[in-house]
């Protein structure tokens, strides 16, 4: 598998001792016996029965058992391996393999007994199976008593290996009951029985119920998962209630009012409302934990700036963090422009800022001279000490993990006080989801766009229409406008992410080739036009230079990966072309599209796809063409993908739900919401044991 980056050297010696499948297990997070026990099958194969060959008809998927009569490699157009078997029904079956190894010859040596499973075809030579699954057996070997699980896996992790590892860890996995029986919904099996049933269902099980998740065994797992999530949210809320935060009360005539005075526009009603909600939180004695959501272009930055102004006016420092350097730099430029004239010193911190410049910035932060600190997550790294951090703002991130909150808390030099936390996102969480699910998150929503925006028109084309799109680019450039052309690439891809992509059944990992090829092709198709290239593998200084040239208009066209996904603001850009749009998530497409439509010119977003499109793919691109409303897109995303994947690995760093579905399992969720607070109050030990089992590997629960 091609790799975009190699991991740091630490732990390298330990790694060298692991086999490839063991490493693959680790990358998938399958480490503890419990992780393996909770890695559930995608589907099942029925190997519990053997069909006599004489009674196996074309079109049927069956398992048969017989003795090898003959086998040989043949050249019929293509080299292939052919074996013929016969069974007690006195009928013969031909097995045909186009890919084969020396081991095939061994297994299918004449006289061997084999079990094979596949679809019967009425071939030229009589009944045959192409590429059946097979295994050698001793005559009279018993049939498995249960269905055979088929697990989600990756190329480096062979299914039989995974089956063996999981089966052996099932017995060891600590699946004893930790919950008092009265909280478990009636009619559900014990956890151990549920897990064992899901891995090895009895032959008479309703496969439909199992695969639809309505089987009691599946329900038990969903219940467990929902309960763990709810408990951890409640615990984190309860724990936060014990913390103290700076009580920050806005002063009349203060900095925020001055800022309002210098802004070139007035706030929308929605912006005023969310500013009020945030300011009320800041005044309280508990640390704020609020998500500010608002569609792309809704104007969240100015809300953040006003919140910061209130905090700074009261003498506190404020940190603003963004996930990419490009976005952080934009915020920096904008905020400097807004607050420096008001006498506020702004410091810049990023991973690439080193040496003297970094030392100076650190000194400004530590002394308190810099009241506003803008940067990437470098802001909360080791070595950064704040004098008086009162408010941390995190842009374009759904959730700020427990780890990061811990790091943040350590930044506040004042004992016992925790900074307020404001998270901002343009990928809205549907309201019901937010209300029922995120028990530890307050949500403010900007549900109104600033006036005077022209809606973006979205077109969906097969990529065979590329020449037309290039024509359109020429016209736009001639009219003095600018163009983005985005190519997919798993940016800053680590092993784990590549594995996750494969795991999710997506195509082979995307390489840098795609974006550099596209850049070369476009530059050739547009002679005399400046075509820039931007991707995550470039040096930060080169990225910044290219971005600055695009911003100034010197480069009319920018070919980029998703590094420009969030927040980038170049109002003169009015055409966005997204290559391989079928490979992006809806939320991501919405973010990308939001890079245009920021100026007065009518903007167009072209979604290019590589045919053929799957049904789901069609549905998704159709959704994009039909609406530009981020909430509607989030709703459809939820419908098409299910919430397990919503805010999936790509967006939040970890998956929220693996088994349960918030809409489908609403009755279970209702039950969980009812019993969780009681459990926490009456049996805190059971509650924490339960959370530890489910989230222990991922979260530092209660230690935060
Ligand atoms: P987002 O919510 O996507 O982060 P921004 O904060 O980048 O949006 O705002 C998008 C653009 O709209 C910016 O150029 C910003 O200055 C402008 N803007 C924000 N609020 C208003 C408003 N009330 N009236 C007019 N323009 C506004
Ligand atoms: Mg923004």
């Amino acid at each position: 598998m091609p790799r975009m980056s190699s991991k740091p050297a630490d732990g390298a010696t330990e790694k060298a001792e692991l086999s490839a499948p063991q490493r693959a297990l680790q990358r998938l997070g399958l480490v503890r016996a419990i992780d393996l026990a909770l890695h559930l099958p995608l589907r099942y194969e029925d190997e519990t029965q053997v069909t006599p060959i004489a009674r196996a008809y074309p079109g049927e998927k069956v398992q048969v058992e017989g003795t090898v009569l003959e086998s040989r490699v043949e050249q019929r157009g293509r080299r292939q391996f052919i074996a013929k078997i016969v069974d007690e029904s006195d009928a013969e079956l031909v097995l045909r393999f186009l890919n084969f190894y020396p081991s095939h010859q061994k297994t299918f040596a004449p006289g061997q007994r084999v079990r094979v499973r596949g679809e019967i075809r009425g071939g030229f030579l009589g009944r045959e199976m192409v590429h059946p699954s097979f295994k050698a057996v001793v005559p009279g070997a018993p049939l498995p008593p249960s269905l055979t699980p088929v697990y989600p896996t990756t190329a480096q992790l062979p299914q039989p290996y995974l089956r063996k590892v999981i089966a052996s860890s099932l017995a060891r996995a600590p699946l004893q009951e930790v919950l008092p029986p009265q909280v478990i919904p009636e009619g559900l099996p014990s956890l151990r029985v549920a897990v064992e049933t899901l891995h090895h269902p009895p032959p008479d099980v309703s496969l439909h119920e199992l695969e639809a998740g309505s089987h009691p065994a599946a329900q038990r797992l969903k219940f467990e998962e929902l309960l763990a999530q709810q408990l951890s949210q409640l615990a984190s809320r309860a724990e936060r209630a014990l913390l103290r935060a700076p009580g920050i009360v806005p002063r009349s005539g203060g900095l925020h009012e001055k800022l309002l005075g210098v802004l070139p526009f007035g706030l929308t009603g929605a912006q005023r409302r969310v500013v009020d909600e945030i300011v009320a939180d800041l005044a309280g004695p508990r640390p704020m934990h609020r998500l500010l959501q608002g569609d792309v272009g809704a104007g969240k930055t100015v809300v953040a700036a006003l919140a910061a102004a209130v905090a700074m006016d009261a003498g506190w420092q404020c940190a603003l963090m963004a996930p990419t350097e490009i976005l952080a730099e934009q915020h920096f430029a904008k905020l400097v422009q807004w607050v420096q004239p008001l006498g506020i010193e702004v410091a810049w911190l990023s991973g690439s800022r080193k040496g003297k410049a970094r030392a100076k910035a650190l000194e400004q932060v530590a002394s308190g001279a810099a009241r506003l600190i803008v940067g990437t997550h470098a802001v909360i790294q080791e070595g950064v000490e704040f004098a008086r951090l009162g408010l941390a703002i995190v842009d374009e991130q759904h959730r700020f993990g427990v780890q990061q909150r811990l790091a943040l808390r350590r930044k506040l030099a004042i004992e016992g006080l925790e900074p307020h936390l404001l998270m901002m996102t343009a990928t809205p969480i549907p309201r019901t989801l937010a209300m029922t699910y995120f028990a530890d998150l307050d949500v403010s929503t900007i549900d109104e766009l600033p006036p005077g925006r022209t809606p973006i028109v979205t077109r969906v084309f097969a990529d065979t229409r590329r020449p037309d799109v290039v024509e359109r680019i020429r016209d736009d450039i001639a009219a003095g406008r600018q163009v983005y052309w985005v190519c997919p690439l798993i940016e800053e891809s680590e092993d784990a992410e590549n594995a996750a992509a494969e795991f999710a059944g997506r195509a082979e990992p995307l390489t840098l080739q795609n974006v550099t090829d596209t850049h070369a092709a476009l530059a050739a198709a547009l002679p005399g036009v400046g075509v820039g290239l931007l991707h995550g593998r470039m040096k930060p200084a080169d990225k910044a230079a290219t971005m600055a040239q695009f911003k100034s208009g010197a480069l009319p066209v920018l070919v980029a990966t998703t590094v420009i996904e969030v927040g980038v603001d170049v109002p003169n850009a009015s055409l966005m072309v997204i290559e391989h749009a079928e490979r992006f998530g809806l939320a991501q497409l919405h973010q990308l599209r939001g890079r245009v439509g920021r100026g007065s010119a009518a903007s167009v977003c072209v979604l290019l796809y590589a045919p053929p499109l799957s049904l789901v793919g069609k549905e998704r691109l159709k959704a994009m063409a039909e609406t530009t409303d981020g909430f509607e897109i989030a709703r459809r995303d939820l419908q098409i993908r299910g919430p397990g994947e919503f805010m999936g690995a790509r967006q939040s760093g970890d998956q929220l739900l693996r088994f349960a579905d918030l809409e489908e399992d609403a009755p279970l969720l209702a039950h969980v919401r009812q019993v969780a607070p009681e459990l926490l109050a009456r049996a805190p030990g059971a509650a924490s044991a339960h959370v530890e089992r489910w989230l222990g590997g991922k979260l530092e629960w209660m230690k935060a």
Side-chain angles (χ1 to χ4, degrees):
M1 184 172 64
R3 279 196 205 161
M4 307 306 306
S5 69
S6 47
K7 291 224 164 146
D10 51 333
T13 46
E14 196 184 311
K15 270 198 170 167
E17 288 160 19
L18 295 179
S19 66
Q22 281 170 329
R23 280 201 305 274
L25 280 177
Q26 253 187 8
R27 281 198 298 268
L28 293 177
L30 302 178
V31 179
R32 306 171 303 166
I34 187 81
D35 303 328
L36 285 153
L38 296 179
H39 190 67
L40 295 182
L42 282 174
R43 56 191 174 81
Y44 304 90
E45 275 171 6
D46 190 351
E47 296 176 345
T48 63
Q49 289 173 51
V50 163
T51 307
I53 296 174
R55 277 195 273 127
Y57 300 105
E60 284 179 345
K61 194 163 188 193
V62 292
Q63 172 170 257
V64 305
E65 180 178 325
T67 307
V68 179
L69 286 174
E70 52 173 331
S71 62
R72 61 181 179 275
V73 175
E74 268 187 20
Q75 189 80 39
R76 342 176 137 227
R78 204 180 144 179
R79 239 167 80 87
Q80 47 191 279
F81 179 70
I82 291 181
K84 193 185 274 182
I85 62 171
V86 66
D87 73 353
E88 285 62 43
S89 68
D90 243 354
E92 293 178 3
L93 179 67
V94 170
L95 313 173
R96 186 186 301 279
F97 298 90
L98 297 172
N99 301 313
F100 55 95
Y101 303 95
S103 62
H104 281 68
Q105 262 136 325
K106 224 158 130 199
T107 308
F108 292 101
Q112 289 282 6
R113 189 80 176 165
V114 290
R115 248 173 228 165
V116 299
R117 193 169 174 283
E119 190 183 310
I120 298 280
R121 293 201 201 164
F124 178 68
L125 299 173
R127 287 193 190 90
E128 66 170 30
M129 269 185 195
V130 179
H131 275 277
S133 58
F134 63 87
K135 66 171 153 229
V137 289
V138 291
L143 288 162
S146 57
L147 302 184
T148 306
V150 179
Y151 296 104
T153 187
T154 59
Q156 302 90 335
L157 194 56
Q159 188 67 234
Y161 177 88
L162 186 55
R163 271 187 198 137
K164 226 184 277 168
V165 181
I166 290 179
S168 79
S169 36
L170 260 186
R172 278 183 292 123
L175 291 169
Q176 76 287 5
E177 294 295 315
V178 298
L179 298 173
Q182 59 273 26
V183 303
I184 296 161
E186 229 165 282
L188 300 191
S190 73
L191 183 60
R192 174 158 289 282
V193 167
V195 170
E196 282 174 354
T197 304
L198 289 168
H199 285 284
H200 304 292
D204 62 347
V205 78
S206 157
L207 263 186
H208 171 75
E209 272 187 18
L210 263 194
E211 286 170 358
S214 58
H215 190 280
Q219 289 280 308
R220 175 68 205 252
L221 253 79
K222 292 173 171 201
F223 163 74
E224 295 267 314
E225 176 177 51
L226 287 171
L227 182 64
Q229 290 287 354
Q230 197 68 26
L231 284 172
S232 85
Q233 294 277 327
L234 286 176
S236 125
R237 180 169 207 111
E239 175 228 4
R240 195 159 52 87
L242 300 176
L243 297 171
R244 291 276 168 273
I248 299 171
V249 183
R251 192 164 55 91
S252 141
L255 205 51
H256 71 289
E257 287 183 9
K258 291 195 187 117
L259 177 55
L260 277 174
V262 302
L263 285 177
F265 48 77
L267 296 188
T268 62
Q271 283 171 320
R272 275 201 300 274
R273 176 171 46 75
V274 300
V275 167
D276 286 347
E277 287 166 2
I278 293 164
V279 167
D281 277 2
L282 292 178
R286 320 254 173 259
M288 168 167 73
H289 192 219
R290 186 170 284 276
L291 179 72
L292 171 59
Q293 54 178 12
D295 209 342
V296 175
K300 295 182 289 293
T301 316
V302 69
V303 171
L306 287 165
V310 170
M312 293 188 294
D313 194 54
W316 295 91
Q317 284 174 305
C318 178
L320 176 71
M321 283 164 273
T324 68
E325 201 143 317
I326 291 176
L327 182 54
E329 230 155 63
Q330 277 200 157
H331 281 321
F332 180 69
K334 191 164 253 177
L335 290 166
V336 164
Q337 183 196 331
W338 282 342
V339 306
Q340 223 164 34
L342 305 175
I344 298 286
E345 199 169 320
V346 189
W348 165 253
L349 273 179
S350 79
S352 65
R353 166 161 278 199
K354 303 226 160 70
K356 270 196 189 137
R358 176 176 162 86
K360 177 158 180 271
L362 288 181
E363 154 49 33
Q364 285 178 308
V365 178
S367 72
R371 286 209 266 162
L372 185 55
I373 298 92
V374 182
T376 58
H377 282 217
V379 167
I380 52 163
Q381 266 160 18
E382 282 315 304
V384 185
E385 289 298 332
F386 290 85
R388 283 168 66 77
L389 181 62
L391 169 64
I393 302 171
V394 189
D395 194 16
E396 299 298 356
Q397 209 170 44
H398 270 102
R399 292 186 307 155
F400 200 57
V402 175
Q403 292 300 338
Q404 286 151 318
R405 263 159 82 189
L406 273 174
L408 193 58
R409 187 171 309 163
R410 285 194 291 267
K411 295 295 163 206
L412 197 62
I414 298 156
E415 201 56 42
L417 278 186
E418 162 137 338
H420 295 285
L421 179 60
L422 177 66
M423 292 159 277
M424 306 197 286
T425 180
T427 309
I429 301 172
R431 190 168 290 276
T432 46
L433 185 57
M435 308 266 277
T436 56
Y437 194 64
F438 292 99
D440 184 36
L441 194 61
D442 299 308
V443 179
S444 288
T445 306
I446 305 181
D447 51 7
E448 177 187 358
L449 288 181
R453 299 269 166 92
T454 19
I456 306 164
V457 174
T458 301
R459 314 297 290 273
V460 180
F461 293 145
D463 57 11
T464 46
R465 301 270 309 268
R466 204 182 298 250
D468 300 343
V469 179
V470 174
E471 260 327 292
R472 160 94 215 208
I473 291 180
R474 278 201 194 98
D475 295 348
D476 274 33
I477 295 170
R481 291 198 295 271
Q482 289 176 268
V483 178
Y484 292 101
W485 189 302
V486 177
C487 302
L489 167 72
I490 300 176
E491 202 57 55
E492 269 122 48
S493 156
E494 301 252 311
D495 279 359
E497 270 183 56
N498 262 334
E502 247 184 77
F503 192 47
R506 265 181 261 148
E508 75 272 19
L510 297 157
T511 64
L512 203 55
Q513 197 61 31
N514 189 270
V515 68
T516 50
D517 287 354
T518 304
H519 174 250
L522 262 187
L526 299 166
V529 173
V531 181
L533 173 64
L534 193 71
H535 60 75
R537 301 281 110 200
M538 287 163 55
K539 290 203 189 90
D542 295 343
K543 273 195 266 189
T546 303
M547 202 58 219
Q549 277 184 299
F550 186 64
K551 238 182 155 151
S552 74
L555 275 179
V557 181
L558 186 62
V559 177
T561 60
T562 50
V563 288
I564 60 140
E565 178 186 340
V566 289
V568 170
D569 191 30
V570 179
N572 191 44
S574 61
L575 175 61
M576 162 67 65
V577 182
I578 304 176
E579 179 120 8
H580 276 300
E582 77 280 5
R583 292 197 175 198
F584 290 98
L586 282 191
Q588 222 180 345
L589 288 175
H590 182 61
Q591 273 284 358
L592 285 168
R593 179 169 60 184
R595 295 316 103 216
V596 294
R598 305 187 146 238
S600 49
S603 293
V604 175
C605 174
V606 174
L607 304 176
L608 288 179
Y609 64 88
L613 264 187
S614 68
L615 261 180
V616 168
K618 261 187 207 137
E619 231 182 298
R620 296 168 65 238
L621 296 188
K622 189 162 154 263
M624 287 304 296
E626 281 174 1
T627 178
T628 51
D629 176 346
F631 281 89
E632 176 61 17
I633 287 170
R635 206 183 57 75
R636 298 234 199 150
D637 204 13
L638 201 61
Q639 240 170 26
I640 300 171
R641 293 200 287 165
E645 251 189 90
F646 183 77
M647 300 179 289
R650 177 69 184 74
Q651 289 157 26
S652 66
D654 58 354
Q655 210 176 338
L656 291 175
L657 290 171
R658 293 161 61 192
F659 309 121
D661 177 313
L662 291 177
E663 256 172 67
E664 234 169 64
D665 300 315
L668 263 184
L669 182 60
H671 175 83
V672 161
R673 292 184 64 205
Q674 191 198 328
V675 299
E678 280 172 49
L679 185 66
L680 207 53
R682 301 221 185 121
S688 94
H690 181 75
V691 172
E692 175 61 32
R693 166 185 284 161
W694 280 86
L695 306 172
K698 294 190 199 119
L699 278 181
E700 268 201 67
W701 192 64
M702 297 291 268
K703 285 177 229 145

